[in-house]
């Protein structure tokens, strides 16, 4: 989801560890080292990595650098091949029927369990080879002055992928800035026990 959209869902994060000043100089290289790798010519099910926020096809940041003022801006790109279950089932039935006919011609009455599993794997690979991966892009904006990050998604799976790949790339852990953590950030960790016992107000 683009940060420039008129309407979007955003998850706010803070970096748990203290950020060393030297890290900011290393960000472009670390992004490139963990950039997205295209799977159009493969049978891989998924691929993910960083790309240019201005152009999801730019994994070398040739069009524009990630530095924009006192922000580091980049995107997480995720490409996924999705084979509809009904399509997979149909082609498995066709392949198993052909295998059974061949087995009967050879005097066999059934197909072994291992062979059935092997046929299903082969069918999935063939379907993936004929299917183009669907891209999804999630923008991220990292404030170098505060260390806070805006991630353009509220989807649980997208957030987990972002958090894991961020940790892999930068060696830093992210903490979502939920209302609970924002209150602790404003009032201090000493109020944690009081916040834990707060009850939501009903306005009905």
């Amino acid at each position: 989801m683009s940060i420039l959209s008129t309407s979007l869902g955003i998850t706010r994060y803070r970096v748990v560890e203290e950020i060393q000043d030297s890290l900011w100089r290393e960000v472009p290289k670390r992004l490139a080292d963990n950039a997205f790798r295209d799977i159009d010519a493969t049978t891989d099910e998924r691929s993910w990595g960083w790309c240019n926020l201005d152009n999801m096809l730019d994994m070398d940041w040739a069009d524009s650098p990630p530095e924009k003022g006192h922000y580091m801006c980049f995107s997480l790109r995720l490409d996924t091949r999705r084979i509809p279950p009904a399509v997979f089932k149909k082609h498995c039935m066709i392949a198993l029927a052909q295998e059974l006919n061949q087995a009967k011609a050879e005097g066999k009455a059934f197909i072994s369990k291992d062979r059935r599993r092997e046929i299903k794997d082969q069918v999935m690979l063939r379907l993936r080879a004929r299917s183009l991966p669907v891209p999804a892009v999630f923008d991220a904006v990292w404030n170098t002055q505060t260390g806070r990050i805006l991630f353009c998604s509220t989807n649980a799976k997208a957030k987990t992928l972002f958090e894991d790949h961020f940790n892999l790339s930068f060696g830093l852990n992210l903490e979502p800035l939920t209302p609970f953590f924002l209150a602790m950030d404003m009032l201090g960790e000493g109020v944690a026990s009081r916040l834990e016992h707060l009850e939501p107000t009903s306005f009905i």
Side-chain angles (χ1 to χ4, degrees), residues 55-83:
N55 181 359
M56 74 171 186
L57 302 179
D58 180 16
M59 272 68 78
D60 300 315
W61 281 264
D63 289 356
S64 60
E67 301 95 339
K68 301 186 189 302
H70 61 273
Y71 294 95
M72 289 290 180
C73 302
F74 46 92
S75 297
L76 176 68
R77 177 174 166 184
L78 167 65
D79 278 23
T80 308
R81 277 190 170 87
R82 297 185 180 92
I83 308 300

Side-chain angles (χ1 to χ4, degrees), residues 179-198:
F180 180 88
F181 285 110
L182 281 170
M184 278 207 307
D185 189 51
M186 295 171 61
L187 303 175
E189 294 189 3
V191 301
S193 59
R194 290 165 53 195
L195 292 172
E196 288 172 354
H197 294 90
L198 287 177

Side-chain angles (χ1 to χ4, degrees), residues 126-164:
R126 285 200 301 270
L127 291 175
R128 284 181 188 168
R130 295 164 56 183
S131 169
L132 290 175
V134 178
V137 180
F138 309 95
D139 292 347
V141 176
W142 190 358
N143 189 324
T144 62
Q145 294 181 347
T146 64
R148 300 291 172 89
I149 296 171
L150 300 179
F151 178 61
C152 295
S153 180
T154 56
N155 178 275
K157 291 183 179 179
K159 290 193 298 181
T160 299
L161 183 61
F162 174 70
E163 293 162 13
D164 292 344

